[in-house]
Amino acid sequence: MQHETWSWLSLSLLFVPPAEGGGMEIIMHYIISDIHGQITAFKRLLEKIDFDGCRDKMIIAGDIIDRGNYGIELIKFIQPYVEAASMKMLIGNHEKFCLNYIEGKLDDFSYKLYGGAETINSLNKMTAESKNELYLFLKNLPIYEEIRTKYGATVVTHSGLLKNCLIYNNDRTINVIHSIEKAADINLFDFLLSDDIHYMNDSELNSLDKFMIVGHVPVLKLNNDGSNHIHRKSGYICIDTGAPFIEKGGALSCYCVETDEQIYS
């Protein structure tokens, strides 16, 4: 069997510096989640928003692999942006599935049930060295990122919160960061699979000490009208617009921090 050989850590940069003498550069910040191997739609989206790796920033909130056909190729594609700090990728449950599979904790049958068939095929074509570099890349992905939005201090993470791991501040507000860290320390797998935030009542959501932006659960399941629009609740928004479920009305999109809108590929 022929194996692919390429480096995760030494890909050449794809960016062209801004022209000298130009006007003020406007930095735009985007957040996207659950791309699931849709590399063509992702590239189309980057073109649509005129994403400039020397200027703009993007957080990928997990689940870049599985379900679609090109998850591993997509990680290879974003690696230069990650190296240049114009993109930051967070871990999602599907990255955790892949880690467990590489570690031998998840068998072929189970991983395929989770949507990992194409990822398995890609892994089987990789050299041991390339597979190890992928493993280290996934293993070191952060769980959350703190940013500022129109909603104030904001935390971006893949799944949200785990209700049995909530930590309260002295004023009885929920400490989002400490709650995430506790859940991840106790059981990262369960945390990344959690949909608890969508079942928290308004009182609990209003008690969050930071606004949250999450993915993981397609908004098609959350919106009463089954639409692929951002799911907005008090305390958080969900931006997973169902990229792998086009037949059900899903689409790949990203959230623009500056305009508070979703942009579709």
Side-chain angles (χ1 to χ4, degrees):
M1 179 182 295
Q2 185 175 2
H3 292 278
E4 296 176 357
T5 302
W6 44 263
S7 174
W8 294 86
L9 305 176
S10 61
L11 297 172
S12 60
L13 297 184
L14 306 175
F15 315 128
V16 178
E20 292 184 7
M24 178 184 292
E25 291 291 330
I26 300 175
I27 300 174
M28 302 297 286
H29 298 80
Y30 302 96
I31 307 171
I32 189 170
S33 77
D34 299 82
I35 306 173
H36 285 298
Q38 307 294 319
I39 192 168
T40 301
F42 182 64
K43 289 179 178 179
R44 186 168 61 243
L45 183 58
L46 293 182
E47 291 180 3
K48 186 172 184 179
I49 63 177
D50 191 25
F51 187 84
D52 185 332
C54 292
R55 176 195 65 207
D56 303 322
K57 304 292 182 183
M58 177 178 282
I59 298 172
I60 302 172
D63 280 9
I64 200 171
I65 60 173
D66 296 345
R67 301 199 190 282
N69 295 334
Y70 302 104
I72 300 298
E73 289 83 353
L74 189 49
I75 294 180
K76 179 182 176 181
F77 174 77
I78 71 163
Q79 186 66 29
Y81 294 95
V82 174
E83 290 179 353
S86 59
M87 290 186 183
K88 185 162 190 176
M89 182 174 165
L90 310 180
I91 191 169
N93 56 293
H94 282 272
E95 286 75 42
K96 181 59 175 169
F97 293 155
C98 187
L99 283 169
N100 285 359
Y101 179 77
I102 294 173
E103 292 172 347
K105 299 176 182 177
L106 191 66
D107 59 35
D108 281 49
F109 178 78
S110 299
Y111 193 17
K112 288 178 181 178
L113 287 179
Y114 290 140
E118 291 302 324
T119 304
I120 291 173
N121 290 338
S122 295
L123 289 171
N124 288 337
K125 297 175 184 177
M126 294 170 64
T127 65
E129 181 181 1
S130 294
K131 192 181 298 184
N132 185 60
E133 288 178 349
L134 169 63
Y135 175 81
L136 293 176
F137 176 78
L138 297 178
K139 188 75 171 178
N140 289 303
L141 291 176
I143 300 165
Y144 65 87
E145 178 74 0
E146 295 184 74
I147 62 172
R148 298 282 312 177
T149 68
K150 64 173 289 185
Y151 304 101
T154 300
V155 175
V156 183
T157 192
H158 181 65
S159 60
L161 296 165
L162 201 56
K163 281 202 70 173
N164 62 1
C165 291
L166 297 181
I167 293 181
Y168 290 85
N169 298 311
N170 291 334
D171 61 1
R172 300 307 297 164
T173 56
I174 296 171
N175 190 306
V176 169
I177 294 295
H178 288 173
S179 297
I180 290 173
E181 291 175 341
K182 178 181 178 182
D185 286 344
I186 292 175
N187 193 318
L188 179 59
F189 190 86
D190 285 351
F191 167 69
L192 293 172
L193 282 173
S194 174
D195 60 357
D196 287 356
I197 193 169
H198 305 297
Y199 297 97
M200 294 172 67
N201 60 45
D202 287 342
S203 176
E204 292 170 316
L205 292 174
N206 287 327
S207 296
L208 300 179
D209 68 354
K210 289 179 173 61
F211 192 78
M212 300 189 71
I213 298 177
V214 303
H216 184 50
V217 177
V219 296
L220 310 173
K221 298 180 179 180
L222 301 173
N223 293 330
N224 291 332
D225 61 358
S227 70
N228 61 18
H229 301 147
I230 294 175
H231 183 69
R232 297 179 183 269
K233 296 282 286 185
S234 176
Y236 78 96
I237 59 174
C238 180
I239 61 169
D240 175 3
T241 51
F245 307 112
I246 296 175
E247 73 284 354
K248 297 180 180 179
L252 184 66
S253 68
C254 67
Y255 172 75
C256 179
V257 172
E258 281 72 26
T259 63
D260 188 38
E261 66 177 346
Q262 204 80 355
I263 303 167
Y264 296 82
S265 66

